[in-house]
Amino acid sequence: ASRVFIFAHHKTGHVLGLYLAKLLERHGCSDVAHGGSWFGQPLATEEFEKRDAFAHYRCGSCFQGASLDPAWQHAVNIVRDPIEMVVSGYLYHVAGNEAEWQQFAKGGERGGDLRVFKAPPAFSGLPPSKGYDNYPEYLEALPADRGVLAEMLRVVQWELPEVVSSVRTTRKYATFHSVCLEDFTRDGEATLERVFDTVGVNASLAPTIAPAIAPERAGDHGTQPHSDREARFRDSLRDYVRSFDDLYFNGTFRRASAEVNCTGDFAHALD
C-alpha cells in the first residue's frame, strides 16, 4: 500500500495538516501520517536538525522530499501565497504567540531566523534587537508597517525559500503534490475530494471530514478577521508587503507568489 505524508510550513497550515492526518487515521486510513512543517530542500537530516532548533518538538519525525520514495509514497505539501504568509505571520507573532520559542538569545525558533535583527539592514529603519527578550515583544514595539517589514526580513530567508523549493520538488514527481491553503478555506469539501482522489485515499470521506476543518483551523490560529475593520487592517498590511517588496526585495515575494500560484483557481493547485 502507498504511504501518504502531509507537510506544511510555518503559517501555511501546520495545524491543519496535523488535524487532517489525525482525522484520516480516525477513519481508518492508517497509511496517512503528518510529515511535519518542513519539506523539499536538499538537506541531510542532521543538517536540518542543526538549522531548526525545535525540529523534534515541531514534527517529531521530519520527513524530507529527499527521504521519500516517489515510487510508493505520496506527499501532500500544503503551501500558501507568500504575501498572506507575511500578513498571517506578523499578526500571529505580534499577538504574543510563540514568545517562549522566539527568544533572541537563542537566535529564534529555528536557531537562526532572528539573527538578522541583531543588526538590521540600514534601509529597514528597524532598531537592533538588543533590549528585547523575544520577537513578539520586538514587533509590538514597532508601528505596523515596520512590523510587517520585520516579518518580511525573517520570512525571506527562512519560510519563503522552503515553500518555493517544496513546490519545485513536488513538480518533479507524479506522487508528490502541492495544494494551497487558500483552497481549504474557499471550498474545504471539494479540496479534500480532489486531494484524496489524487493520493489514493477514499474520497467519500471528504464530506464527513470537511466540516471539522473550518477556515479558522487553516493556518491562522484565531487571527482571521472578525469585522470589516479588521479586514481593512489586513488589506493595509498586504499593501505594506507589496510596497516593501518593490522597494527593498526586488519583487522577490511577487515572483514567489506567481510560482506558488495560490491566488488562482483550484484547478491549478495540484501539481
Side-chain angles (χ1 to χ4, degrees):
S2 64
R3 185 92 167 136
V4 179
F5 294 100
I6 301 173
F7 294 91
H9 313 264
H10 185 51
K11 307 314 300 174
T12 75
H14 175 75
V15 172
L16 172 66
L18 178 61
Y19 196 67
L20 179 57
K22 287 182 177 179
L23 281 170
L24 286 168
E25 185 178 10
R26 191 181 305 166
H27 285 276
C29 297
S30 59
D31 59 341
V32 178
H34 184 236
S37 57
W38 188 92
F39 179 88
Q41 291 210 50
L43 298 176
T45 301
E46 59 271 17
E47 292 174 342
F48 169 59
E49 289 178 354
K50 289 178 183 177
R51 186 182 189 212
D52 192 327
F54 287 82
H56 292 293
Y57 171 81
R58 287 156 66 84
C59 42
S61 178
C62 288
F63 302 95
Q64 301 172 60
S67 68
L68 299 182
D69 183 352
W72 68 279
Q73 293 171 316
H74 284 274
V76 176
N77 177 43
I78 305 175
V79 295
R80 187 181 196 177
D81 181 73
I83 293 173
E84 295 302 313
M85 287 171 56
V86 173
V87 171
S88 176
Y90 167 71
L91 291 171
Y92 180 67
H93 291 128
V94 80
N97 292 295
E98 299 188 355
E100 66 272 33
W101 302 325
Q102 292 280 354
Q103 299 287 325
F104 282 115
K106 296 180 180 179
E109 181 181 5
R110 314 187 63 178
D113 61 332
L114 299 183
R115 289 175 188 160
V116 66
F117 301 111
K118 187 174 183 179
F123 70 76
S124 69
L126 296 171
S129 57
K130 185 177 181 180
Y132 297 93
D133 290 332
N134 57 69
Y135 183 56
E137 179 184 282
Y138 179 83
L139 287 183
E140 191 176 1
L142 299 173
D145 61 337
R146 295 296 108 178
V148 166
L149 181 55
E151 183 70 7
M152 293 177 76
L153 286 171
R154 194 192 64 77
V155 169
V156 77
Q157 59 184 335
W158 291 91
E159 286 92 342
L160 191 64
E162 291 178 4
V163 167
V164 171
S165 179
S166 71
V167 170
R168 290 174 179 172
T169 298
T170 59
R171 288 173 181 157
K172 296 178 182 178
Y173 305 103
T175 52
F176 290 2
H177 318 279
S178 288
V179 61
C180 295
L181 178 65
E182 286 83 349
D183 293 304
F184 283 103
T185 61
R186 288 172 187 148
D187 192 335
E189 184 173 327
T191 301
L192 286 174
E193 287 180 352
R194 182 75 174 269
V195 172
F196 290 173
D197 184 64
T198 302
V199 301
V201 173
N202 184 0
S204 66
L205 290 175
T208 302
I209 292 177
I213 305 176
E216 59 265 28
R217 295 189 184 276
D220 276 353
H221 305 301
T223 65
Q224 289 282 1
H226 297 288
S227 69
D228 290 343
R229 182 178 179 181
E230 291 178 42
R232 288 194 298 271
F233 180 58
R234 275 185 173 252
D235 285 339
S236 71
L237 298 181
R238 295 183 183 101
D239 289 341
Y240 291 146
V241 176
R242 296 185 184 100
S243 176
F244 291 144
D245 188 33
D246 291 336
L247 284 172
Y248 305 129
F249 297 94
N250 196 30
T252 296
F253 286 85
R254 290 180 188 271
R255 289 194 298 274
S257 179
E259 181 158 8
V260 173
N261 191 25
C262 283
T263 57
D265 296 331
F266 182 68
H268 305 291
L270 285 175
D271 291 315

